[in-house]
C-alpha cells in the first residue's frame, strides 16, 4: 500500500458513460481555467496583509480543519494527538507526530470530499506523487514543510497562483478591519473583501453576547442599548464593511425564523434582550426580527443578505466544555422555511432590488420548500450545497432537486465557505466538474442543447456568483430608496 | 443563439447508456401511441362544449400558466408585463408584447419540465422548427396565432388529434355542469367527464365559504345548515356528477388529517362551523372529518377518493391582496401521513371496495410513509409524482422510492393535472419516457425480465389509470352496501 | 407467461455501463464467497437445536413473511387465504391452496427486493428453473415440499451449506435460552448466538408489560419492582445472554429519545411505571432513560448497543384486534436524532470503548443527522439500510447519503434482520452486489483507486460487521471499568 503513485485523473468526477463523459469533458474544458470567485469564506485576512509564511504542514492543514479531525475523532483518535487546541490552548503535540497520526488514518477519508480536496492540494500545490500513508508521512511532512518556507508559498503568491479574482472573508461587527485596510494600502493587486456577520451582537443565547454588545458600542461610539442607537450602529458598521469591500452580510441562525414586528414591539423586545430579561423565545424572536431589519438596511445600502440556518451548535457538551466551539460537533437539524421565511418575504420578498441568499443543511427542503420559494419570490435565491453537502453527491442532489422548479438562474454559483485556503482551487474544481457532469447528463438525455449547457457551465462556474454577490458594481446607498 | 433549429430527439429522456437506452426505446415504442387517459385535470369544459377558437398565443399559453409566469416573476418580470390578471382584471398589456417578454426570458426555463413541454407543443402541435428567443418571438406569435384561427386547432379537433380516450375536468359543488351536459348532448364522441371537488363547501377557512354554502343549498334545495341536510346535499351532487361522467372526488387540503368522530361530535362540530363559531382547529377537524364522510359515501356510490394535501396556499400576502389565488405562490410543506390518515384508514382502509388515491408534495414521505401504507392497506393507492414533482427527476424519484415497498400495482399511472390543454400529450409523453427509462434500468441490471417490463410499461402508461379511476365501469350505487 | 425459464444473471444489480460493470464484477468476485456474518436477525433457535425438517413451502416461506403477505393483502387478498395466523390461531387454509394464491399474485412483487430474494432461493436453494406463476405453482410446491423432507434441507445442513460463520437470533429478557444451550451442548459446529432484546420489560405501553415484568422477576429471583433490583436483573440476564454467545443488545423504540436522569429522578419514574401510575410521557421517558442505563452496563460487560427507532407499530387497529402484532402494519415515521440522542451521547458518546449502532427508517436523517453524528462521536456507528430500505435502491441511497460525511468506517456492514432463514444468502448477496456497484462507480469516476475499493469491498461484506459486533473477541466485564 505504501509508496503507491498518486495521480489526479483528468476525468475525475465525470460520469463513466462514454457519451456523457465526452460532453462533460468538453463543457469542463471551457470553464476549468476561469478565475475563482469566492464570495463567501473564512480565510484569515491577516495572511494577506502580513504575507508571512505558513508555519508547518500540521498547523496549516490539519489542526484548524474540523472536516478532518472530526472523522479521526469519531474513530477514537484524541484531538490532542492531532494538535487541535483546547480551551487550555494548543497541546504540545509535536507537529510531525500529529501529521504521522493523520497519515496513518488517511484511509478513513476514502469516499469523502476531504480526500479529493487533499489529494488535489498534494498534487497540484505541492507536486507530491505518492499517496499519503503511514509510510509516506515523513516524506509528505518534509516536502510540504520545505515548500512552505519558500516565497512561492506565501499567501499572496498562492492567491495569485490560484487565479482568485475575488476572495471574501467574514468578520464580526466589532472587527476593526485593519487587515483589510492594510491590504488595500499595500499596493498588492489581490481583491480580498470582507463580509458583515453581526451574529455576536444579535444572538443573545451566545455566551459572549454581553461583551460583544459593549464592544459594539465602543467601536461605533453609539448608545447600542437603545433600539435606535443599536440599529444605527449596524448601519455605521455596514458602511465600514462596504468601505472594506463587503458586498454581503451573513447570518448563521439556529433556525430560518424571520419576524416583522411593529416598531413598538421590536423596541420592547430589544429592551428585554439588552437588559438580560429575555427568554429563549425572546432571543429566537429577536434573531428573527433582525433578519428583517437587515433586509431593510440592504434596500438602502445594497448588501446581499445571506441566511445560513439549521445547525445545532456545540452538540457535544463535554467537548464544548473542554475545547470550546467549532470542534466538529455542529449537527444539522430539520429546518422549516415555508412558515419561517414568510414574514420577511411578505415584507420585502417582492422587491427585485433586494437579494436574499438562503442556504440549507436539510436537503429535504430543496425540492419541497426552497426551490418553490426561490422560483417565485424576486428577492430570493438559493445558495449552493453547503457544508456537509458541499460534496459531489451533495451537489448532484442540489441540482437534481432544485433545477426543475427554480431553474439555474435562481441559484448563485459556488461558495467554498472554507478556512482551508490551500483547498480553494480544489473545491471550485470539484464544483465545476460536478456541475458540468450534471449538464452533460441533460445534454446526453436530450433535455438541453449543447450550446445552452456551455452557456450555463460558465454561469455556474463564474458569472452567477459575480452577479448574485454584486461583485461587479460594489453596493452603495441609493438615497431615493431610503427607509426611515 | 437566434434562429437555431428546434428538434425533438426521439431518444429524449432516455438514459445515455447504450444498453439501457436500447431497452427503453423498445419499451417506449410499444406505449408511445397508446390513447391518453387523463383522469385528473383542470381544463375548461366550455372549450369542448362551445368549441370556439382559442384567442391568441399569450392568452392561451402564458397568462393562465403559473408554472411559466412564476419563474419569470422570480427573476423580476412584473406579472402585468405577461398579461396575468390581477383582482382588478386583466391588464391591458398587448398580447404580442407579453409574448415577446416571455420569449426574451425563455432561457430561464432551461432544465425545467416547462421547457420540455413547451418545445413539444411548439414542434408537434404547431410545426415550429426554430427555437423560441427574443429574435423568433414574432415568428412564433404569427405562426401560433394563425394556426389558432383554423378549424384544426379548435378544442375538439385537438382533443381528437391528441388521441385522448378520456379527459376529466374538475368542478365545484355548486357547478351546474351545463357544459358537460352540452357536450353529452352534442353528439361529439369525445369523452370529457367531471370530478367532484367539494372544497369550497368544506374548507371554512376559505374566504368564500359562506357564499359557497348558500349556493350549495340553492342548487340542491336542501337545508345545508343541518348536518343531515348538508350530507344529503353532498350525496345529491355526487349523483349529479356521476351522471356527468365523474368517477372520482378530489380534495385539496392543507394537511392529510382525517378524523372519525361520532355522529354527535360531527354534528356539533358542523354546527359551530356553519354558525361561524369555529376555531382554526375546528375548521381543520371539519375538513378531516369530511374526508371520512366522503369515503363512506364512496362505498355507496363508487367514487374514487383523491386526497391532495400539503400545499401552503397564497404564501405571498401582498400578491394575494393584489392578484388573488393561484398565482404561483402556493408552497409545499412537510406533511405527515402516518398519524393523519390513521382514523380514515382504520375505519375504511381494510375494505378493497374503496379506492383512496393519495398524493404528496413532500417527497420525504414516499419511502418512509406512503409506500409502506399503500403496500399494506387494501383501500390505499399512490397518486403519481405531483405538481412540482411532475418532472423527469421527480418521477424518477417517485419510482425509485416507492417501488421496492409498494410495488407498481399500488400506483395509479399518470395524472397530467393541468389546465394547459395543448401540453397534455407532451406531459403524458414525458411520463411514458421516464417510466420506460426506469423499467429499462431494472431490465439492464437484471432485476426484471424484458417481458415483465413490457407488460408494466403498458400498465403505467394506460391500464393502471383506467382501472384505478374506474373508467371502464362507471360507478354506481350498490344497494347492498348502503351505509345508513 | 407460464413455464418461462428462470435464471439468475451473474451480472444482476451491477450498473449497466460497461466500464462500471467490469469493475463491479471484479470487486464482487473477491467477496462473493466470503462467509456470512449475520449479527442481527430473527430466525428461530429451535430450528438449530432440534434440527427438524421444515413443514411445507407455504408454512416456511409465506405465512411468516410479512414482506410477502402485506403486499398481497394490499391488493385485496385476505390473510386467511395465505395461511397467516390470526389471534384465533392458524386458519385451516390448505397450504397448497395458499401457495397457489401466492403464485397467482407473484407479479405484484416485480421490482421489489422480495422478488429478487425469492428467485435467488428458488434457483440456488431448490434448483428451480422456471418462473413462479399460477401455471407453475404446483410444480414449485412439489419440488420444494419434496426437498424439505430430505436431510440436506434440515436447518443445520442449510446453515452449513450457506457458509454462515455466525448467526445471531434475538431473544427477550425472560427467555430461558434453552435452545442456545442445547445447540452449544450438541457438538454441532454452527455458531448460533443470541442478542438481548429487553423491550418487553422496558416498554410500559406494551399490552404484555405487566406479565413480562413478573416473569423477569421469576427468572432472576430478584425484586424487579425496586429500581435497584430491576437494574440488577438486567445485569444478570445480560450475563446469561453473554454466556449464550450474545455480543449485543437490541432496542426497538418508537422514537430515538434518550435521557440522562439523576438517580433519584430515575427511581421516581421507575416507581410510577411499575405501579401502573405512569403517563404516556412517563413511559416514553422511561424507555429513553433505559437506553442510557443499558449504555452504562455496556461499558461494564461489553455488549454492543443497537437502537432501532421510528416504527409506528400496529397502525391498522382492526387488523391488530383480529390478528395481533407483526402483520405488516408497522409504518415508519419521521424521526429526530439530533435532540433525541444528545443525553446519551453527552453522557457516554465520547468513550471509544462503547459501541452504539443506530438504525433509521427515516432516510431524510442519513445526510442531515446520522452521518454528521456518526462522523463525530467515537461511540456511534450507523447500522445498514434497514427494513423497508433493505433493498437495492435503499442501500444505494444509504451509501450516497452517508459516505461523504461519515466515511465507510463508521458503518457496520450488513444486517439481514430476517426470520426468513432460506433467504439469508440471497440478502447478503444483494448487499454485496450493491456495495460493489457503489464502489465501482467511485472507481470509474476516479474518486477512489481500485485497490482501495477492493479493500473496502471486503470490509463491507465481512470485516466491518465482525469488528463492530465484536464477534472475534466475545465481550466480558472489565473490572477496571466498573460503573457503580
Amino acid at each position: 500500500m505504501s509508496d503507491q503513485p498518486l495521480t489526479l485523473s483528468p476525468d475525475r468526477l465525470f460520469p463513466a458513460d462514454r457519451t456523457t463523459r465526452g460532453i462533460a469533458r468538453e463543457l469542463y474544458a471551457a470553464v476549468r481555467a476561469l478565475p475563482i470567485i469566492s464570495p463567501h469564506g473564512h480565510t484569515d485576512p491577516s495572511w494577506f496583509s502580513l504575507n508571512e509564511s505558513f508555519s508547518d504542514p500540521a498547523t496549516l492543514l490539519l489542526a484548524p480543519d474540523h472536516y478532518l479531525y472530526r472523522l479521526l475523532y469519531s474513530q477514537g483518535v484524541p484531538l490532542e494527538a492531532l494538535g487541535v487546541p483546547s480551551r487550555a490552548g494548543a497541546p504540545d503535540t509535536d507537529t510531525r507526530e500529529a501529521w504521522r497520526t493523520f497519515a496513518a488514518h488517511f484511509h478513513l477519508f476514502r469516499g469523502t470530499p476531504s480526500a479529493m480536496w487533499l489529494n488535489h492540494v498534494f498534487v497540484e500545490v505541492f507536486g507530491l506523487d505518492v499517496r499519503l500513508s503511514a509510510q509516506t508521512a515523513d516524506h509528505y511532512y518534509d516536502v510540504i514543510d520545505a515548500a512552505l518556507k519558500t516565497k512561492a508559498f506565501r499567501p499572496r503568491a498562492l492567491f495569485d497562483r490560484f487565479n482568485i479574482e475575488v476572495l471574501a472573508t467574514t468578520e464580526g461587527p466589532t472587527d476593526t478591519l485593519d487587515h483589510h485596510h492594510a491590504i488595500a494600502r499595500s499596493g498588492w493587486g489581490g481583491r480580498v473583501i470582507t463580509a458583515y456577520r453581526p451574529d455576536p451582537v444579535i444572538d443573545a443565547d451566545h455566551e459572549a453576547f454581553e461583551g460583544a454588545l459593549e464592544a459594539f458600542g465602543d467601536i461605533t461610539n453609539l448608545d447600542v442599548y437603545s433600539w435606535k442607537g443599536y440599529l444605527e450602529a449596524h448601519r455605521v458598521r455596514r458602511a465600514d464593511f462596504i468601505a472594506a469591500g463587503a458586498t454581503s452580510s451573513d447570518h448563521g441562525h439556529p433556525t430560518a425564523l424571520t419576524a416583522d414586528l411593529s416598531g413598538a414591539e421590536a423596541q420592547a423586545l430589544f429592551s428585554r434582550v439588552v437588559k438580560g430579561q429575555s427568554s429563549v423565545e425572546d432571543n429566537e424572536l429577536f434573531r428573527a426580527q433582525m433578519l428583517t431589519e437587515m433586509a431593510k438596511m440592504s434596500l438602502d445600502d445594497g448588501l446581499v443578505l445571506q441566511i445560513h440556518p439549521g445547525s445545532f451548535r456545540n452538540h457535544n457538551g463535554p467537548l464544548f466544555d473542554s475545547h470550546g466551539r467549532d470542534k466538529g460537533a455542529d449537527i444539522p437539524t430539520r429546518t422549516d422555511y415555508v412558515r419561517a421565511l414568510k414574514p420577511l418575504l411578505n415584507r420585502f420578498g417582492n422587491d427585485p432590488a433586494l437579494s436574499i441568499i438562503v442556504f440549507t443543511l436539510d436537503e429535504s427542503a430543496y425540492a419541497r420548500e426552497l426551490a418553490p420559494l426561490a422560483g417565485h419570490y424576486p428577492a430570493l435565491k438559493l445558495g449552493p450545497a453547503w457544508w456537509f453537502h458541499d460534496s459531489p453527491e451533495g451537489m448532484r442532489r442540489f441540482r437534481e432537486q432544485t433545477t426543475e422548479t427554480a431553474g439555474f438562474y435562481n441559484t448563485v454559483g459556488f461558495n467554498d465557505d472554507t478556512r482551508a485556503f490551500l483547498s480553494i482551487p480544489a473545491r471550485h474544481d470539484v464544483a465545476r466538474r460536478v456541475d458540468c457532469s450534471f449538464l452533460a447528463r441533460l445534454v446526453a438525455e436530450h433535455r438541453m442543447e449543447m450550446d445552452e449547457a456551455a452557456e450555463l457551465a460558465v454561469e455556474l462556474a463564474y458569472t452567477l456568483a459575480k452577479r448574485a454577490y454584486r461583485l461587479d458594481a460594489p453596493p452603495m446607498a441609493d438615497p431615493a430608496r431610503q427607509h426611515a
Side-chain angles (χ1 to χ4, degrees), chain A:
Chain A
M1 182 68 39
S2 64
D3 287 82
Q4 288 189 291
L6 174 65
T7 56
L8 302 179
S9 166
D11 284 333
R12 65 192 182 278
L13 287 168
F14 296 156
D17 171 72
R18 289 180 62 168
T19 306
T20 316
R21 179 168 287 187
I23 299 167
R25 272 182 193 151
E26 191 177 335
L27 293 171
Y28 173 72
V31 301
R32 192 188 59 77
L34 287 174
I36 287 175
I37 304 291
S38 176
H40 179 105
H42 298 278
T43 53
D44 185 338
S46 74
W47 295 338
F48 307 105
S49 68
L50 304 177
N51 200 32
E52 295 172 348
S53 291
F54 294 111
S55 66
D56 67 87
T59 306
L60 172 62
L61 298 173
L62 178 57
D65 191 341
H66 56 67
Y67 283 77
L68 298 185
Y69 60 71
R70 74 191 307 279
L71 200 53
L72 278 81
Y73 184 71
S74 79
Q75 288 281 315
V77 179
L79 294 181
E80 290 66 30
L82 302 166
V84 179
S86 72
R87 287 187 187 269
D92 59 356
T93 314
D94 178 70
T95 57
R96 185 180 290 265
E97 274 307 318
W99 183 261
R100 284 175 183 161
T101 301
F102 170 57
H105 290 84
F106 193 53
H107 64 282
L108 297 178
F109 294 94
R110 287 171 178 168
T112 71
S114 293
M116 296 209 75
W117 298 329
L118 282 168
N119 282 331
H120 183 115
V121 170
F122 296 156
V123 172
E124 294 287 330
V125 182
F126 294 107
L128 288 154
D129 59 6
V130 293
R131 288 196 230 159
L132 180 62
S133 68
Q135 288 76 14
T136 61
D138 279 346
H139 170 63
Y140 263 73
Y141 193 91
D142 294 338
V143 167
I144 296 173
D145 201 52
L148 293 180
K149 294 184 164 36
T150 65
K151 284 200 168 172
F153 286 80
R154 294 224 184 132
R156 292 185 184 176
L158 289 174
F159 186 101
D160 293 337
R161 175 177 163 195
F162 290 168
N163 194 20
I164 298 175
E165 184 174 316
V166 56
L167 177 72
T169 65
T170 303
E171 272 72 43
T174 60
D175 195 286
T176 58
L177 304 176
D178 286 347
H179 291 295
H180 287 86
H181 299 148
I183 295 167
R185 282 193 310 267
S186 72
W188 172 56
R191 185 173 176 196
V192 177
I193 65 178
T194 184
Y196 185 59
R197 181 151 184 169
D199 297 357
V201 297
I202 288 179
D203 181 8
D205 287 329
H206 194 294
E207 64 273 19
F209 174 70
E210 223 173 312
L213 200 61
E214 193 180 335
F216 194 47
D218 291 346
I219 200 167
T220 56
N221 270 321
L222 287 163
D223 174 13
V224 297
Y225 299 95
S226 79
W227 179 227
K228 199 177 153 190
Y230 175 79
L231 291 177
E232 184 58 23
H234 278 294
R235 280 191 209 96
V236 164
R237 296 272 39 219
R238 291 168 65 102
D240 292 345
F241 275 63
I242 289 171
T247 67
S248 68
S249 70
D250 182 33
H251 307 271
H253 289 193
T255 75
L257 194 71
T258 64
D260 187 18
L261 303 178
S262 70
E265 290 169 324
Q267 185 156 359
L269 172 63
F270 175 78
S271 174
R272 289 196 300 281
V273 166
V274 292
K275 284 182 186 148
Q277 298 168 348
S278 55
S279 64
V280 169
E281 292 73 27
D282 281 338
N283 293 346
E284 170 76 352
L285 186 61
F286 184 65
R287 289 188 296 262
Q289 177 62 22
M290 283 309 296
L291 288 176
T292 306
E293 299 293 341
M294 288 287 138
K296 196 190 298 181
M297 294 184 198
S298 281
L299 279 164
D300 295 333
D301 63 20
L303 286 186
V304 171
L305 178 76
Q306 299 177 88
I307 307 177
H308 285 85
S311 180
F312 189 117
R313 302 278 172 179
N314 312 307
H315 188 272
N316 191 333
L319 189 76
F320 177 71
D321 292 342
S322 62
H323 284 72
R325 302 189 153 251
D326 300 325
K327 290 298 175 294
D330 296 342
I331 309 292
T333 56
R334 209 186 288 143
T335 305
D336 163 67
Y337 291 89
V338 179
R339 284 169 185 80
L341 293 179
K342 192 173 192 296
L344 171 56
L345 291 175
N346 278 224
R347 178 76 184 273
F348 295 122
N350 289 293
D351 191 337
L354 179 65
S355 181
I356 305 168
I357 298 174
V358 68
F359 295 76
T360 194
L361 291 167
D362 180 355
E363 293 177 308
S364 75
Y366 281 155
R368 185 180 60 214
E369 304 178 24
L370 290 172
L373 286 167
H376 169 67
Y377 282 101
L380 191 69
K381 290 194 174 40
L382 301 185
W386 175 44
W387 198 337
F388 295 111
H389 310 312
D390 173 9
S391 65
E393 300 298 324
M395 290 174 189
R396 184 174 56 81
R397 287 195 291 270
F398 174 76
R399 291 287 173 213
E400 288 179 358
Q401 294 175 24
T402 65
T403 304
E404 295 180 316
T405 292
F408 290 100
Y409 293 88
N410 284 307
T411 65
V412 303
F414 178 66
N415 281 187
D416 56 69
D417 193 27
T418 193
R419 66 197 76 223
F421 176 51
L422 272 62
S423 74
I424 287 179
R427 289 166 191 256
H428 285 258
D429 189 62
V430 168
R432 290 172 185 189
R433 288 172 177 275
V434 174
D435 278 337
C436 287
S437 296
F438 179 70
L439 291 167
R441 182 159 78 85
L442 297 189
V443 173
E445 296 178 356
H446 303 286
R447 296 157 70 177
M448 182 179 285
E449 298 296 328
M450 188 64 187
D451 64 287
E452 298 178 296
E455 259 189 45
L456 280 167
V458 176
E459 293 273 5
L460 302 183
Y462 179 78
T463 329
L464 280 178
K466 211 163 161 177
R467 202 183 312 136
Y469 282 88
R470 303 181 173 176
L471 292 164
D472 277 330
M476 57 180 63
D478 171 355
R481 300 197 48 115
Q482 293 294 336
H483 291 245

